[in-house]
Amino acid sequence: QVQLVESGGGLVQAGGSLRLSCAASGSVFSINAMGWYRQTPGKQRELVATIAISSGGRTRYADSVKGRFTISRDNAKNTVYLQMNSLKPEDTAVYYCNALDYSLGPALPYWGQGTQVTVSS
């Protein structure tokens, strides 16, 4: 089992910045990738960014956040970060941390409790 705890959400004006953190605990050795997703009321949860937990650390971003958001990891702390710059009102959502475990075959997802990000215009 993996537990994920997010922090860093809040209220910010458009153009501002926030940094989200996600600390993993438990069976962290089984995690192959981590990422951030977001969800607004009435909409599907959507991918924001992902990062591989390996020496390569390959990243992937949604088109809507490319050039503004940066995902990074600190493997020693089992923590993933999402630096969000040039925030827009449309970035307002609950942001969820995700971890994927491929150790037993098909990806087993774990989710954090979510953290609210609100961007005012």
Side-chain angles (χ1 to χ4, degrees):
Q1 289 289 322
V2 173
Q3 294 78 44
L4 303 172
V5 178
E6 302 111 330
S7 60
L11 173 65
V12 64
Q13 288 189 331
S17 299
L18 282 174
R19 189 176 82 152
L20 305 182
S21 300
C22 174
S25 60
S27 302
V28 295
F29 57 87
S30 67
I31 297 174
N32 299 98
M34 293 184 71
W36 291 94
Y37 290 70
R38 64 188 182 187
Q39 189 171 23
T40 54
K43 292 190 176 181
Q44 296 251 3
R45 192 171 295 186
E46 63 175 7
L47 179 146
V48 176
T50 63
I51 186 166
I53 305 302
S54 67
S55 57
R58 184 177 59 187
T59 59
R60 181 163 65 112
Y61 295 93
D63 288 343
S64 59
V65 306
K66 282 181 181 176
R68 300 188 298 122
F69 291 12
T70 303
I71 189 169
S72 61
R73 75 197 194 283
D74 184 333
N75 288 348
K77 296 181 179 180
N78 298 315
T79 299
V80 170
Y81 305 96
L82 185 68
Q83 179 66 44
M84 305 185 294
N85 298 328
S86 301
L87 282 161
K88 304 175 182 180
E90 51 263 44
D91 294 318
T92 295
V94 177
Y95 284 70
Y96 294 91
C97 181
N98 166 269
L100 293 177
D101 174 4
Y102 288 93
S103 62
L104 298 178
L108 176 63
Y110 294 95
W111 294 97
Q113 80 284 359
T115 185
Q116 177 71 46
V117 171
T118 303
V119 184
S120 63
S121 57

